[in-house]
Amino acid sequence: MSSALIGRAMLGFYFLAFFGFLFGPLIVMSVTAFNTPEYPQVWPFEQFTFAWFQKLAQDDNLMQGLQNSFIIGAFVVALAVPMGLAGAIVMTQVYAPARGLYYLVVVSPVLTPGVIIGISTVIFWKDVTGFTGAQSLFTGMFLATLGQSTFIASYCMLIFLSRLQRYDRTQEEAALDLGASRGQVFLHILLPFLRPAVVSAAVIAFLSSFENYNTTTFAILADKTLTTVLAGRVRQGMTPAISAMAVLIIAVTVAGAILYEAAKARERRDAAV
Amino acid sequence: MSADIDIDHVTIRFGDFVAVKDVSLKIAGGEFFSILGPSGCGKTTILRTVSGFLAPTAGTVRIGGKDMAGVGPNKRPTALIFQNLALFPLMSVAENIGYGLRVRGVPGKERRRKADELLSLVALPGSGDKRIGELSGGQKQRVAIARALAVEPQVLLLDEPLSALDLRLRQHMRTELRAIQKRVGVTFIYITHDQGEALTMSDRVAVMNHGVVEQVGDGHAVYDSPATPFVASFVGENNGVSGRISAVADGFAQIDTALGSLKGRAGAGLEPGAAATLFVRPERLRPAAEGIAAMVSATAFEGHLTHVGLSCADGHSLTMSLGRDIGAHALTPGAEVRIGYNPAEAIVLRQEAR
Ligand SMILES: Nc1ncnc2c1ncn2[C@@H]1O[C@H](COP(=O)(O)OP(=O)(O)OP(=O)(O)O)[C@@H](O)[C@H]1O
Ligand SMILES: [Mg+2]
């Protein structure tokens, strides 16, 4: 065997091992979702079935969690994307020497452990709602949305910042010179330029919210999301219904990733102009 | 419609750095006025002050007689064509041109009509639906001009708009810009560091250096009667010979140089003993029976002209440009010649104390 062939074989083996390591668990789990035994099992594959998906649909707790996850995700997108956009725009306007400090401050939620964010969200809002008499707001859904938004807004800001780096300020000046107001410059020039980044940020924000556990498990209080219900279930023992759930989540994630890549491709195409 | 511009003792500082020093310019309505100067001399800074992006540190800018202090760029009757054009890449050509009308609330149909009209004016009919990325450099240029004209400005400010184009296209666009200006009758302030561009297009030229306007005048004045040594050497080719004034009389000055005592028209402020420079253009030099002794060092044939490099006493070198009718072919490198000129076509300028 020539050394080139050995090299090729080793590379092939490496790829197999690498992708096996990455996707093996997902594939195994997906297969168990379609197998009949009560405990998740790949081999022997007894019979192909959709029964676990039906069982899943009848599982009110899981369904409630799933629904909550979608609702929280939607609100997080609505909150974190504008906050991230505002943070990024402020960053470009801040007095240049203070930029480093500002950056550190607004990025810090990303670096803070999610657990801490979850706990501090609860403590902070317990006091705030207590003092202001707005106790009705002190719900898991509300807190989870706010807690997640803090660090997800920072993610969004990073996405906007990288796009803003390629922003040509003279376009703003050109629009102003032609008679546009500041507001019109924002709407007609800056926002269209940032549109691909808005799409990216929304997708990332939703996915991060949907899969979040660390912050949510504390902030959710008596409510539930998909991840908190699943965590409870796994402790009681696995069933193929959870595998079925996983298949659905993988499908959602892949769809999200494709959407995200499409947005990136559009961004690249616009940048090429 | 066009407005006159009065730049009245304007100074602009960036921190400690003075970019524009006490500049005063009066530009008449409908005039094609150029500002010419080397890179970094403050041309863009003046233009940004007129268009409202910079406030003068001292002095006043008036447009159509109105003081512009506190009036934002979106409220001034000016339109600026940026050094990099700054077209909107996400909008079509027609949307770019119509943008100024859009923010004024003009309906879409009307904007499109106006855009098509302007596209014919700048000789790009039917390109309204193209994307900016599909245009060539010269076409982008024209779209930028059309976009600026769409808002019917009283003053059009152009910041080296042709600098990115290749020579042939640049020459073509010069003629076209001049024609457009004649057609619309708007006041143009045109910035360039290309002296040929300034001379061919403008009614008047201001020559700037280091934030100071050194001379204002029409092309002939600036070319034939430069006011300062900087103007003499920056505008067009020139031979400069430095020395000391020995006599001034009847509008002529006699100057002692390494090449002998030379004579030329006297500039302002000359007195015997002053350090000065005599400038004579290459095309004003001639082989002569009497005159400066020189040796031909090189010749360069350029079609209608032949440029002859001459080395003279004291390591001085001069350039002489001869037309075809004068026997330039006899001047081969190494030949000894004598060079003369008509003193009325040379000028002696006082060396500035800088
Ligand atoms: N915002 C600014 N802050 C500090 N200095 C500046 C600023 N803008 C311009 N300058 C300085 O002012 C001087 C004049 O700049 P300006 O842009 O007017 O030059 P210019 O004549 O247009 O040159 P060019 O032909 O290269 O465009 C330069 O030395 C430049 O460094
Ligand atoms: Mg400039």
Side-chain angles (χ1 to χ4, degrees):
Chain A
M1 250 200 316
S2 73
S3 65
L5 213 57
I6 295 175
R8 239 177 304 124
M10 276 172 64
L11 197 65
F13 175 76
Y14 171 75
F15 267 115
L16 267 177
F18 181 69
F19 284 106
F21 177 70
L22 274 188
F23 297 115
L26 296 182
I27 294 168
V28 166
M29 193 168 202
S30 303
V31 172
T32 64
F34 300 98
N35 199 0
T36 42
E38 286 284 327
Y39 187 80
Q41 171 183 319
V42 178
W43 194 259
F45 194 83
E46 291 177 5
Q47 201 186 343
F48 185 85
T49 176
F50 278 121
W52 299 113
F53 286 87
Q54 277 165 10
K55 189 123 186 243
L56 182 70
Q58 289 150 11
D59 186 329
D60 290 340
N61 255 340
L62 262 179
M63 283 300 125
Q64 184 62 47
L66 185 64
Q67 190 188 336
N68 286 350
S69 285
F70 272 106
I71 293 171
I72 291 173
F75 276 99
V76 166
V77 168
L79 215 59
V81 173
M83 284 201 316
L85 178 57
I89 291 175
V90 169
M91 173 89 180
T92 64
Q93 313 280 330
V94 172
Y95 176 60
R99 246 169 237 176
L101 183 67
Y102 174 83
Y103 183 79
L104 205 67
V105 170
V106 291
V107 162
S108 59
V110 173
L111 307 173
T112 312
V115 178
I116 307 284
I117 293 180
I119 295 171
S120 56
T121 302
V122 175
I123 296 171
F124 177 75
W125 287 97
K126 187 169 183 59
D127 285 353
V128 171
T129 52
F131 283 128
T132 56
Q135 275 96 347
S136 59
L137 274 181
F138 193 70
T139 65
M141 296 287 280
F142 182 71
L143 293 189
T145 304
L146 292 184
Q148 291 179 5
S149 294
T150 53
F151 68 90
I152 293 176
S154 294
Y155 287 155
C156 293
M157 192 197 70
L158 292 176
I159 294 170
F160 287 122
L161 271 184
S162 82
R163 178 93 177 135
L164 277 173
Q165 243 148 36
R166 269 177 293 147
Y167 184 50
D168 175 13
R169 291 248 141 213
T170 58
Q171 284 192 24
E172 272 188 6
E173 293 192 337
L176 271 181
D177 189 63
L178 291 169
S181 64
R182 287 269 162 207
Q184 284 170 325
V185 170
F186 177 77
L187 278 180
H188 299 156
I189 310 294
L190 183 58
L191 214 51
F193 173 80
L194 288 177
R195 199 196 50 195
V198 171
V199 175
S200 301
V203 171
I204 297 275
F206 183 81
L207 290 181
S208 322
S209 164
F210 193 81
E211 59 104 50
N212 183 266
Y213 178 73
N214 294 356
T215 301
T216 312
T217 189
F218 292 96
I220 199 67
L221 305 177
D223 287 334
K224 47 177 150 309
T225 67
L226 181 66
T227 48
T228 60
V229 174
L230 279 182
R233 276 306 151 72
V234 171
R235 237 168 277 139
Q236 294 159 20
M238 289 288 289
T239 81
I242 291 175
S243 303
M245 185 83 242
V247 169
L248 291 180
I249 293 177
I250 290 168
V252 169
T253 310
V254 167
I258 289 171
L259 225 80
Y260 179 70
E261 277 308 314
K264 289 286 259 195
R266 185 157 352 114
E267 186 176 353
R268 273 194 294 274
R269 209 184 51 215
D270 286 347
V273 169
Chain B
M1 233 205 328
S2 62
D4 61 304
I5 297 155
D6 184 5
I7 298 171
D8 190 2
H9 294 288
V10 164
T11 295
I12 302 151
R13 285 173 202 274
F14 298 109
D16 286 341
F17 178 72
V18 185
V20 172
K21 237 175 278 176
D22 194 30
V23 164
S24 291
L25 293 170
K26 276 193 196 311
I27 299 158
E31 189 172 2
F32 195 123
F33 190 90
S34 290
I35 300 179
L36 173 65
S39 184
C41 72
K43 306 181 295 292
T44 298
T45 305
I46 290 190
L47 219 55
R48 290 175 66 78
T49 307
V50 173
S51 55
F53 289 109
L54 279 174
T57 315
T60 315
V61 174
R62 289 182 207 89
I63 300 176
K66 264 182 59 190
D67 187 349
M68 285 289 128
V71 180
N74 48 0
K75 298 277 187 284
R76 294 194 182 194
T78 58
L80 175 60
I81 295 179
F82 289 76
Q83 206 157 359
N84 69 352
L85 302 184
L87 293 173
F88 308 131
L90 300 180
M91 298 184 195
S92 72
V93 166
E95 285 167 343
N96 262 276
I97 298 173
Y99 186 74
L101 302 174
R102 176 173 165 201
V103 298
R104 284 168 175 73
V106 175
K109 264 227 179 71
E110 172 66 16
R111 297 203 301 260
R112 183 61 203 229
R113 198 190 54 71
K114 181 87 188 186
D116 286 337
E117 194 184 300
L118 282 162
L119 279 171
S120 340
L121 178 80
V122 296
L124 275 180
S127 340
D129 294 318
K130 285 200 177 147
R131 294 185 62 83
I132 296 302
E134 295 167 12
L135 301 180
S136 73
Q139 291 171 331
K140 281 185 188 153
Q141 199 70 65
R142 292 178 221 202
V143 172
I145 292 164
R147 184 177 72 174
L149 289 174
V151 298
E152 295 182 0
Q154 295 173 21
V155 180
L156 196 63
L157 308 166
L158 303 98
D159 193 352
E160 305 201 33
L162 306 187
S163 55
L165 306 183
D166 66 59
L167 184 66
R168 194 158 278 274
L169 191 53
R170 196 154 72 221
Q171 282 167 345
H172 174 71
M173 286 302 296
R174 279 181 197 170
T175 346
E176 221 159 89
L177 260 184
R178 182 71 212 197
I180 289 171
Q181 196 259 346
K182 282 254 153 64
R183 245 175 291 165
V184 296
V186 168
T187 313
F188 271 42
I189 302 186
Y190 188 92
I191 282 193
T192 178
H193 58 235
D194 178 332
Q195 39 97 16
E197 212 162 281
L199 296 182
T200 47
M201 296 201 294
S202 344
D203 296 319
R204 283 193 305 154
V205 182
V207 184
M208 279 188 77
N209 191 26
H210 293 302
V212 176
V213 172
E214 302 233 342
Q215 187 172 5
V216 183
D218 65 16
H220 288 290
V222 169
Y223 191 79
D224 291 329
S225 306
T228 66
F230 172 77
V231 175
S233 47
F234 187 73
V235 181
E237 294 299 314
N238 227 331
N239 292 301
V241 189
S242 301
R244 282 200 181 275
I245 302 290
S246 57
V248 185
D250 303 331
F252 282 88
Q254 199 73 36
I255 177 170
D256 288 330
T257 71
L259 307 184
S261 180
L262 302 175
K263 190 177 174 186
R265 283 186 296 136
L270 291 181
E271 61 218 25
T277 306
L278 176 129
F279 289 96
V280 55
R281 302 254 174 217
E283 70 270 21
R284 300 301 193 192
L285 291 178
R286 289 288 173 274
E290 292 279 291
I292 305 162
M295 192 185 75
V296 176
S297 57
T299 62
F301 176 67
E302 199 201 79
H304 62 302
L305 284 178
T306 299
H307 303 288
V308 182
L310 301 165
S311 51
C312 312
D314 213 23
H316 241 287
S317 58
L318 299 174
T319 305
M320 171 168 68
S321 299
L322 298 175
R324 309 203 64 146
D325 46 334
I326 303 171
H329 51 269
L331 300 172
T332 47
E336 301 276 346
V337 286
R338 287 197 169 260
I339 302 299
Y341 63 89
N342 177 355
E345 292 169 348
I347 189 161
V348 181
L349 297 169
R350 192 189 161 86
Q351 210 68 53
E352 286 129 299
R354 262 191 200 278

